[in-house]
């Protein structure tokens, strides 16, 4: 079945449902996906409730025929058949109301995120082309490419005047100083979080009136630590997108704000920003900035094992962000995992550096099951939750699995 046909099928079920219970994953992609579908339902006169969560279990779905899951659910083989799922993770759920690029022969790892998939369902519910800007958030948040269906959505947004392309610094933030001081997407070793270095660099790059981008970029290369991955510098400057209908115009800044709020447990605030509530922006920006500082603090205090595969931090909220920085922004030769205590379990965030082909979805699913937990995700990134009394066993088995 084509993804358009699958989107139509789910849209028809949404229309036929009196009240839709919407659950969305707590990152930029999931929250944007949930907001896109809720906005489309609102316009169609449908009733719904949106909740943002870190994850969901099959036994938490009390009313499957009226439940819609965004950016999670695909990995749950035991999910009730009537549940609606809009996701891009490796599919194990076999229900008929499942929109997922993998099921349509598309690469859900790179070509279509959950927010992009939700945009297709929203279009099946009505004319919601102005929501293309929100679809871009998942592409940015999940580090996907603007190719294939992602490119089609972007081009449609540009053609209709909802997205304006431009060139410039890609780091999210209200000011250039803030963007440099709190840079975690990408993380620039020796620079991010270092106020004195940022001040010195900005002073050196400032001409008579403004900062010269070319001088700034050259200084960033000189100031960065030796462990910085070369790909970092290609992600500091490039194509930017201004979202003409959103309450925060810069796409990368909006993605960072939504993700930061979601990670901090403020998913409702993030969703309100996606639903275009300008009065929520100042608080959301503050919450997201605090999250980026948490990631930087956790990075500075991280510990690693002898194999250099598993890193331990004390802040579970920051673990996913730390894993992104370590895998994508520092020189690595193989998969890494970041673990952190979270009550009676340990949270695991695993990543493959660019160019490393290891099926983390299969490894996390298998090793987590062996150690009494749950896990899964994408081939190149995923997560798990492991009982506290089994975390040492997980460490051993994970290191063995990624080395195989």
């Amino acid at each position: 079945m084509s993804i358009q046909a699958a989107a139509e099928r789910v849209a028809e079920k949404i229309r036929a449902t009196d009240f839709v219970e919407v659950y969305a994953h707590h990152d930029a992609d999931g929250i944007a996906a949930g907001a896109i579908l809720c906005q489309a339902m609102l316009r169609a006169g449908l009733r719904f409730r949106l909740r943002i969560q870190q994850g969901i279990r099959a036994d938490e779905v009390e009313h499957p025929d009226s439940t819609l899951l965004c950016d999670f659910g695909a990995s749950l083989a035991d999910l009730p058949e009537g549940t609606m799922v809009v996701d891009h993770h490796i599919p194990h759920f076999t229900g008929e109301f499942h929109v997922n690029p993998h099921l349509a022969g598309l690469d859900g790892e790179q070509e279509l995120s959950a927010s992009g998939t939700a945009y297709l369902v929203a279009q099946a519910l009505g004319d919601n082309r102005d929501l293309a800007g929100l679809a871009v958030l998942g592409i940015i948040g999940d580090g996907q490419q603007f190719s294939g269906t992602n490119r089609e959505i972007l081009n449609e947004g540009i053609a209709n005047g909802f997205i304006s392309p431009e060139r410039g610094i890609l780091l999210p933030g209200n000011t250039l100083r803030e963007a440099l001081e709190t840079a975690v997407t990408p993380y620039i070793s020796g620079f991010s979080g270092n106020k004195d270095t940022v001040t010195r660099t900005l002073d050196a790059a400032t001409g008579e009136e403004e900062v010269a981008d070319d001088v700034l970029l050259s200084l960033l290369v000189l100031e960065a630590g030796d462990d910085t991955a070369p790909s970092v510098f290609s992600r500091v400057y490039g194509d930017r997108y201004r979202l003409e209908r959103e309450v925060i115009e810069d796409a990368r800044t909006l993605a960072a704000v939504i993700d930061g709020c979601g990670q901090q447990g403020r998913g409702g605030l993030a969703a309100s920003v996606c639903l275009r509530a300008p009065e929520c922006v100042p608080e959301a920006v503050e919450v997201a900035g605090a999250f980026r500082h948490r990631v930087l603090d956790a990075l500075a205090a991280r510990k690693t094992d002898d194999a250099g595969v598993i890193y331990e931090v004390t802040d579970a909220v920051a673990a996913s962000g730390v894993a992104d920085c370590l895998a994508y922004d520092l020189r690595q030769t193989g998969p890494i995992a970041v673990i952190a205590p979270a009550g009676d379990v340990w949270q695991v965030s695993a990543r493959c550096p660019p160019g490393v082909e290891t099926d983390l979805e299969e490894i996390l699913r298998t090793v987590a099951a062996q150690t009494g937990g749950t896990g899964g995700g994408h081939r190149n990134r995923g997560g798990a939750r492991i009982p506290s009394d089994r975390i040492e066993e997980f460490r051993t088995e994970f290191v063995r699995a990624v080395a195989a």
Side-chain angles (χ1 to χ4, degrees):
M1 179 184 293
S2 71
I3 195 160
Q4 287 78 13
E8 287 282 359
R9 174 182 285 180
V10 169
E12 288 175 7
K13 183 165 185 181
I14 290 173
R15 289 193 197 97
T17 303
D18 290 335
F19 187 91
V20 182
E21 294 278 7
V22 184
Y23 295 84
H25 188 225
H26 71 160
D27 66 2
D29 189 27
I31 296 171
I36 287 170
L37 289 169
C38 288
Q39 188 79 281
M41 285 188 279
L42 183 66
R43 293 171 178 178
L46 303 174
R47 299 188 305 151
F48 60 87
R49 176 169 59 176
L50 172 62
R51 283 176 279 191
I52 311 300
Q53 300 185 176
Q54 182 177 0
I56 195 165
R57 302 189 312 271
D59 60 9
E60 293 179 297
V61 179
E62 297 180 358
H63 307 287
D65 289 337
S66 59
T67 296
L68 171 61
L69 306 183
C70 300
D71 198 30
F72 47 29
S75 63
L76 300 177
D78 57 343
L79 196 63
E81 286 291 308
T83 310
M84 294 174 279
V85 174
V86 175
D87 200 354
H88 69 129
H89 292 86
I90 302 296
H92 295 274
F93 172 56
T94 58
E96 63 176 317
F97 302 105
H98 186 180
V99 192
N100 190 312
H102 290 285
L103 298 175
L106 302 175
D107 182 6
E109 303 289 325
Q110 290 297 331
E111 183 176 337
L112 199 58
S113 68
S115 63
T117 306
Y119 176 78
L120 300 180
V121 179
Q123 288 299 89
L125 284 168
D127 183 359
N128 291 291
R129 289 173 292 175
D130 64 304
L131 301 180
L134 292 181
V136 168
L137 302 187
I139 302 171
I140 293 172
D142 274 21
Q144 291 195 348
Q145 303 298 316
F146 282 98
S147 60
T149 311
N150 284 344
R151 173 59 66 176
E152 292 174 10
I153 294 172
L154 175 67
N155 287 344
E156 182 175 317
I158 293 172
N160 287 298
F162 303 127
I163 302 174
S164 299
E166 52 191 24
R167 298 278 290 177
I169 299 294
L170 300 179
L171 303 175
N174 283 328
T175 65
L176 182 57
R177 176 179 292 277
E178 177 195 345
L180 291 168
E181 288 183 359
T182 64
V184 294
T185 51
Y187 169 71
I188 308 171
S189 175
F191 197 92
S192 298
N194 191 326
K195 292 185 178 181
D196 291 340
T197 301
V198 170
T199 297
R200 184 175 67 252
T201 302
L202 285 175
D203 288 346
T206 301
E208 294 182 1
E209 297 182 356
E210 60 183 18
V211 173
D213 287 347
D214 56 345
V215 176
L216 174 62
L217 293 172
S218 297
L219 292 173
L220 284 177
V221 174
L222 294 173
E223 293 284 355
D226 293 338
D227 57 348
T228 302
S231 61
V232 164
F233 303 110
S234 65
R235 294 161 49 215
V236 173
Y237 185 93
D239 293 326
R240 296 166 43 131
Y241 301 102
R242 190 169 70 250
L243 309 180
E244 305 294 351
R245 293 294 182 91
E246 307 309 325
V247 292
I248 296 176
E249 287 190 342
D250 178 65
R252 291 185 182 274
T253 299
L254 179 55
V257 167
I258 299 307
D259 187 68
C261 288
Q263 300 293 337
Q264 292 266 69
R266 301 296 304 278
L269 179 62
S272 296
V273 173
C274 284
L275 293 170
R276 299 172 178 169
E279 67 275 11
C280 294
V281 171
E283 184 181 5
V285 169
E286 182 179 350
V287 170
F291 171 71
R292 292 199 294 276
H293 281 293
R294 287 181 77 164
V295 172
L296 290 170
D297 289 344
L299 271 167
R302 69 187 185 273
K303 300 177 182 178
T304 187
D305 61 357
D306 293 338
V309 173
I310 296 182
Y311 296 80
E312 182 177 331
V313 298
T314 58
D315 188 349
V317 171
S320 179
V322 170
D324 287 343
C325 295
L326 293 176
Y328 307 144
D329 305 331
L330 298 182
R331 296 178 187 271
Q332 302 284 357
T333 58
I336 61 97
V338 175
I339 62 173
D344 58 354
V345 300
W346 281 67
Q347 182 174 310
V348 179
S349 296
R351 304 286 186 269
C352 279
V356 174
E357 296 295 331
T358 300
D359 191 347
L360 286 179
E361 196 275 340
E362 176 63 25
I363 288 174
L364 288 168
R365 177 181 290 274
T366 301
V367 176
Q370 291 173 352
T371 54
T374 59
H378 298 286
R379 283 184 57 86
N380 60 1
R381 58 182 287 148
R385 292 173 69 81
I386 308 299
S388 296
D389 60 351
R390 306 286 297 276
I391 189 61
E392 293 306 318
E393 184 181 351
F394 174 86
R395 285 177 184 260
T396 301
E397 294 302 321
F398 182 83
V399 171
R400 180 182 293 124
V402 298

